[in-house]
Amino acid sequence: VYPNPTDGLLYYKDIEIGNIQKVQILDLFGKMVSPIFISDEYISIEMLPNGVYFLYLKTADKMQVQRIIKHTE
């Protein structure tokens, strides 16, 4: 998932939208945050405040966890 840090749009590669089973964004306290929007090409966290988050992305064959930094000027 890239870019990181992001201004709000996270693009994913090597993953087809049909293979994604679950996407969660959690804050540093482990609380699930919203709103997020998932399209065929990206995950939008534009509505979230600046900060550090954890992205959990589950597909049929793997679970990916990535620390995401949201920063807009």
Side-chain angles (χ1 to χ4, degrees), residues 6-33:
T6 181
D7 61 358
L9 295 179
L10 298 166
Y11 296 90
Y12 47 90
K13 60 181 178 179
D14 302 329
I15 301 172
E16 293 182 28
I17 188 72
N19 291 336
I20 296 175
Q21 295 179 342
K22 189 175 198 177
V23 175
Q24 293 181 318
I25 305 280
L26 282 73
D27 65 14
L28 288 175
F29 300 104
K31 181 181 174 189
M32 193 172 359
V33 295

Side-chain angles (χ1 to χ4, degrees), residues 4-71:
N4 192 13
T6 181
D7 61 358
L9 295 179
L10 298 166
Y11 296 90
Y12 47 90
K13 60 181 178 179
D14 302 329
I15 301 172
E16 293 182 28
I17 188 72
N19 291 336
I20 296 175
Q21 295 179 342
K22 189 175 198 177
V23 175
Q24 293 181 318
I25 305 280
L26 282 73
D27 65 14
L28 288 175
F29 300 104
K31 181 181 174 189
M32 193 172 359
V33 295
S34 62
I36 61 171
F37 173 78
I38 304 166
S39 80
D40 291 344
E41 299 175 2
Y42 61 85
I43 300 166
S44 173
I45 59 170
E46 293 176 299
M47 301 302 286
L48 298 179
N50 288 345
V52 178
Y53 299 93
F54 292 95
L55 167 71
Y56 289 80
L57 189 118
K58 183 178 182 190
T59 63
D61 58 345
K62 68 179 178 177
M63 172 78 156
Q64 178 179 343
V65 179
Q66 185 172 347
R67 184 177 63 116
I68 302 295
I69 298 170
K70 161 95 186 306
H71 180 72

